[in-house]
Amino acid sequence: MEISSSIRAALLDAKDSLSQFIQNSHNITVIAETAALMRDIFENRGRIFTCGNGGSMCDAIHFAEECTGRFRDNRKPLPVIALNDSAHITCTANDFGFSEVFARPLLALGDTDDMLVVLSTSGNSENIIRAAEAAKTKKMFVFGLLGRDGGKLKHYCNSYLIAPGATADRIQEIHIKVLHILIEHVERLMFPENY
């Protein structure tokens, strides 16, 4: 396939995945409900934690920095913590195994009425499932951004969205769009003057 044709095919495939996601009205409802819940958590002085593996961790970090930093305009920082401390991850993986790298900080830092946002393209990553289990023991709300059929992880989430797409890249493209829209709508609820 000629390079320009393959580029066009990739863009059309991404467009198709997004169109499928938009056409499911349940997805729009879940995003609106999640944004309202995030607003409530922030207004009640709670925190949101987030984690994923590989590219999904990059999206978790991106979400956290746009909450603690800025998104569209200046406003007070919002308490979102990506569980990406490399010293903690390597220490915990060495002492307890990789499956515990996200569960242990949640057990230490998470509190009732906080939220955990988990990202997994397969829904079957053991360390993400363990994080969700740990969050549940702390009575935290677990929101999942998942792919494929949602895997085992969907059973540990209070609420979740499944991005369409046969490959991790298409799934992650939907996940980052959802995260951006969540930040925007939290801001619209909390800082309407920014819009």
Side-chain angles (χ1 to χ4, degrees):
M1 181 183 285
E2 185 185 337
I3 190 72
S4 59
S5 297
S6 64
I7 291 168
R8 182 175 174 77
L11 289 168
L12 289 171
D13 188 44
K15 179 183 173 187
D16 289 345
S17 293
L18 183 58
S19 293
Q20 287 177 45
F21 187 78
I22 293 168
Q23 288 169 8
N24 184 341
S25 61
H26 172 75
N27 294 335
I28 310 303
T29 300
V30 170
I31 293 170
E33 291 172 350
T34 304
L37 180 57
M38 287 178 169
R39 181 265 323 268
D40 293 345
I41 287 168
F42 294 139
E43 288 183 346
N44 290 313
R45 303 175 75 83
R47 296 175 295 180
I48 296 175
F49 298 86
T50 185
C51 61
N53 289 303
S56 293
M57 176 56 91
C58 294
D59 289 342
I61 294 166
H62 185 83
F63 174 64
E65 58 87 5
E66 288 190 330
C67 288
T68 58
R70 63 179 282 175
F71 184 60
R72 294 278 173 89
D73 207 347
N74 293 337
R75 40 93 174 134
K76 76 174 187 178
L78 301 171
V80 178
I81 301 164
L83 301 175
N84 67 319
D85 180 319
S86 58
H88 162 80
I89 288 171
T90 54
C91 167
T92 302
N94 187 58
D95 294 344
F96 298 96
F98 193 65
S99 63
E100 298 300 308
V101 297
F102 303 129
R104 289 191 64 84
L106 288 169
L107 292 172
L109 303 170
D111 205 352
T112 302
D113 300 326
D114 286 344
M115 179 187 283
L116 172 65
V117 177
V118 291
L119 292 89
S120 176
T121 59
S122 70
N124 291 314
S125 300
E126 186 180 355
N127 59 350
I128 306 295
I129 292 169
R130 281 288 303 121
E133 289 175 330
K136 296 295 244 180
T137 68
K138 302 288 281 194
K139 297 185 171 48
M140 297 169 64
F141 187 94
V142 180
F143 173 63
L145 286 173
L146 312 175
R148 300 191 174 88
D149 65 356
K152 297 173 189 170
L153 187 54
K154 68 183 175 190
H155 303 294
Y156 296 91
C157 295
N158 298 95
S159 177
Y160 61 86
L161 292 170
I162 297 177
T167 59
D169 52 317
R170 293 287 97 91
I171 293 165
Q172 289 169 338
E173 288 162 3
I174 300 294
H175 287 177
I176 195 62
K177 284 176 176 51
V178 170
L179 292 172
H180 279 156
I181 293 166
L182 284 169
I183 298 165
E184 177 185 341
H185 284 81
V186 167
E187 285 193 350
R188 286 181 181 276
L189 292 168
M190 295 182 71
F191 312 102
E193 65 277 9
N194 282 7
Y195 294 87

